[in-house]
Structures are given as C-alpha cells and as structure tokens.
Amino acid sequence: RFPPHHPHLAEAIATGPALFDTIAQRDVLLHHPYDSFRPVEEFVASAAKQDAVIGVKQTLYRVGKESPIVEALLDAAEAGKQVAAMVELKARFDESNNLGWARALERAGVHVTYGFPEMKTHCKLCLVVRRERTGVRQYAHIGTGNYNPATARLYTDLGLFTCDPDITQDISELFNYLTGFSKQTSYRKLLVAPINLREGIVDRIERETEAHRQHGKGRILFKLNSLVDPEVIDALYEASQAGVSIDLIVRGICCLRPGVPGMSDNIRVVSIVGRFLEHSRVFYFANHGDPDVLIGSADLMRRNLDRRIEVLVPIESPELKRRVLEDRKSVV
C-alpha cells in the first residue's frame, strides 16, 4: 500500500508569470504524475478565455468520460475562436467516449476530423495560435501520454511546452495533413510516422555507431513500451557489435535478445514495474558530447511506425536534457 500521492506544480510554471509568458521565455518539461497535469488543462482553458488567442488545434485519442480539455475546446468554439480537433474513433475501449465528445464538439462548431481509415492518429499534440504585439505566434504541447486527467495520475508521461517556431510550424503543417488540407512529406524538427520516424531513429543509431568507432564513448538509452521493429533491432545489434553501450527500458514486449555473445554483448534490457504504469517514450543518443534527446508517442513496432500517425519531438534545452537524464524523478 502506497501513501497518497500529491503531484506538485512544476517550478517553471509555479514561480513564473502567466503560462504563455513562461513558455515564450523558455521550454517547459513536465513529468507526470510527479508534476501536476493541471498546467496542460490550463494551457487549453487559458486559450479559450484569452482574446489574443485566434485558434486551437488538438488531437484526442483517449480523453475519458470527463474531460476538462474537451470542455475548454467547447468553450473556445463558443467564444468564436477557430477550433479544430482530430478525434480518433479507433482508440480501443474508448470508441464510445470519443464518439460522444466528437458529436458535442461538432455541435459547438468545432472542425472535427476522424483521421484515416487505414491508420490511427496516436500522436499527442495541442497547438494554440495567439495574436501578439510582434505578430502571430504559435505555442505547442507535445506529450507521450493521452490528454486524460485520470491516467495522468497513474501513468508516467512527459510533456513539452514550446513556442520554437520550427516545431510549432511543423505541428501546424501536420494538422493541415490530418485535416486533409495538405500532403506533407517533410518536417523541420519532428519525426513523424509513417513518414520519417523509423528512418530518423535508425539514422541516429547508425550515427552513434560511427561516432563510437571514431571517438569511443557511444551511448544509447531508450525507454518505451514495446520494441519489435526488425530494422531498429538490427541497427541496435550492429551498434552493440561496434561497442556502443546500450540500455533499454522496455515495459512490455521486447523482441531484441540482450547479452548474446558476438551479437548483443553491450545491450542490457530491464522492465520497470512499480507504483505507476511506465508509459513515457524517450530516445537518448550521446552524440559525441552533444546529446540528442527525443520524446513522443511512438513505440518501436511496425504498427506504430507504418500504420499510425506518431510524433517524436527533440528536447533542445541543455537544462531539460540533463533533467531527462539525471533527475531522481526523471525517466532514465
């Protein structure tokens, strides 16, 4: 039996000015359930209330029976803002909830789309567009988990707030793709399945392998739910054979065999079972002293990489990279 858990409000938000002002100054990383989910809800609720906000775009995968975020989207639409929601009706066990929310959003005037027949939209994205003194500016939240306040208290997940113009423009163009207004095939910073995510991960593994051959100290750390994809596994085997040190934290299915002489001697695999359901996806590459860190919604499975819309976003702040790697409540 565990004592009651009380999430704390992230320091970057608790001690800063208004939420959008804080994000304008620096990226903010939340680690749920240690960090409260309230700032994510407030992000959308504030957008609904502020006159400066022009529009809100949101993906909805599992939102639950009660959803402050969907309520905020309804408020935003009723306030006359442009609101678009990509509702995934094929979210297993949540089909009924999602259909009910989709109908409510449509009645409020929200532009609701339902994705693609052959693919699930599994990425976790919210984009807010504001008119400011210097012009129009976009703010984004990219997460590893669902916009669901119930699971945010039970699952370990990461969420990034940013107004990086390359990332927010990538997200804007991805929403254009999801709503049928474009056929986007390239992105500035995001890795997007099924377009470039597998390629981006394999390229980084190969880069780490080559850097280790030249300089040594190659290091790869992954944390995810499942590792199944053969191309990624083969690339990790090759990296291990080159001497790269690899640690994999895999909650569920892992088709890679660690510790096989001559093949995977340098790979270690563990599964964490504890109070909270491990749900965050993190990809770390030492990159010869300039760490490359990505978080997002994708597990390394063929279904995720070929038949789902998934997103990984880079963590670029040195401070946040250190937090992901070192903090006692962090993920690696």
Side-chain angles (χ1 to χ4, degrees):
R1 293 180 178 273
F2 293 99
H5 174 69
H6 302 288
H8 69 274
L9 191 58
E11 183 179 355
I13 297 174
T15 61
L19 179 57
F20 288 103
D21 293 337
T22 301
I23 301 169
Q25 295 170 13
R26 61 188 181 278
D27 290 354
V28 176
L29 185 69
L30 300 180
H31 186 197
H32 311 298
Y34 309 106
D35 292 324
S36 172
F37 191 67
R38 187 152 53 91
V40 182
E41 297 173 337
E42 183 62 26
F43 183 65
V44 187
S46 295
K49 299 171 186 174
Q50 293 184 8
D51 293 337
V53 172
I54 304 170
V56 185
K57 298 181 180 182
Q58 178 100 38
T59 61
L60 299 172
Y61 190 73
R62 297 188 191 278
V63 294
K65 293 183 178 180
E66 298 181 4
S67 176
I69 285 180
V70 179
E71 295 286 356
L73 293 176
L74 293 170
D75 292 341
E78 291 169 1
K81 305 183 189 304
Q82 297 178 16
V83 182
M86 196 352 277
V87 181
E88 180 51 71
L89 296 184
K90 300 187 294 295
R92 189 172 48 177
F93 309 125
D94 280 86
E95 298 90 342
S96 178
N97 287 336
N98 288 7
L99 184 58
W101 283 122
R103 288 171 173 166
L105 289 165
E106 285 182 336
R107 287 195 296 268
V110 174
H111 178 200
V112 179
T113 57
Y114 299 97
F116 308 95
E118 70 280 6
M119 289 190 293
K120 283 185 179 181
T121 301
H122 189 248
C123 52
K124 325 299 182 182
L125 304 172
C126 181
L127 185 71
V128 173
V129 184
R130 298 176 86 232
R131 183 181 289 111
E132 301 179 353
R133 287 179 299 176
T134 56
V136 174
R137 195 172 194 179
Q138 300 184 110
Y139 296 77
H141 174 268
I142 308 100
T144 69
N146 297 302
Y147 290 107
N148 186 320
T151 58
R153 297 181 66 88
L154 303 172
Y155 295 7
T156 67
D157 273 306
L158 291 167
L160 177 71
F161 287 114
T162 184
C163 63
D164 179 291
D166 287 337
I167 293 174
T168 55
Q169 188 59 31
D170 274 353
I171 294 173
S172 179
E173 292 172 4
L174 178 56
F175 271 110
N176 288 340
Y177 172 67
L178 294 174
T179 52
F181 290 113
S182 76
K183 294 184 178 180
Q184 194 74 12
T185 58
S186 63
Y187 294 90
R188 299 160 186 82
K189 292 186 177 180
L190 296 185
L191 297 184
V192 179
I195 297 169
N196 67 347
L197 201 153
R198 176 189 283 111
E199 178 185 1
I201 291 296
V202 171
D203 285 350
R204 283 165 171 79
I205 296 172
E206 293 174 347
R207 181 189 64 191
E208 195 68 25
T209 303
E210 185 59 31
H212 180 80
R213 289 181 175 133
Q214 294 184 19
H215 309 287
K217 298 184 179 180
R219 186 86 167 103
I220 293 173
L221 294 152
F222 289 175
K223 181 178 185 295
L224 63 170
N225 294 336
S226 301
L227 174 58
V228 175
D229 187 72
E231 291 183 44
V232 174
I233 290 173
D234 286 344
L236 290 170
Y237 283 150
E238 183 176 346
S240 171
Q241 291 163 31
V244 177
S245 176
I246 302 171
D247 279 284
L248 307 174
I249 304 169
V250 186
R251 191 193 81 208
I253 299 170
C254 180
C255 294
L256 178 148
R257 292 185 62 192
V260 177
M263 183 173 73
S264 56
D265 310 67
N266 295 305
I267 304 178
R268 294 155 295 280
V269 181
V270 300
S271 178
I272 298 174
V273 179
R275 177 174 186 173
F276 303 114
L277 181 81
E278 299 297 325
H279 194 253
S280 51
R281 290 87 163 187
V282 185
F283 303 86
Y284 170 91
F285 305 87
N287 194 29
H288 190 46
D290 182 18
D292 190 1
V293 181
L294 302 103
I295 66 168
S297 59
D299 288 306
L300 297 180
M301 308 177 73
R302 280 182 167 170
R303 71 176 193 188
N304 296 75
L305 303 181
D306 296 329
R307 300 191 301 277
R308 290 188 177 189
I309 308 295
E310 305 274 16
V311 167
L312 297 182
V313 63
I315 303 294
E316 298 189 321
S317 160
E319 177 186 352
L320 296 185
K321 288 181 184 181
R322 285 194 297 271
R323 181 185 172 194
V324 169
L325 187 63
E326 298 172 1
D327 271 9
R328 68 182 178 88
K329 289 181 178 177
S330 196
V331 293
V332 176

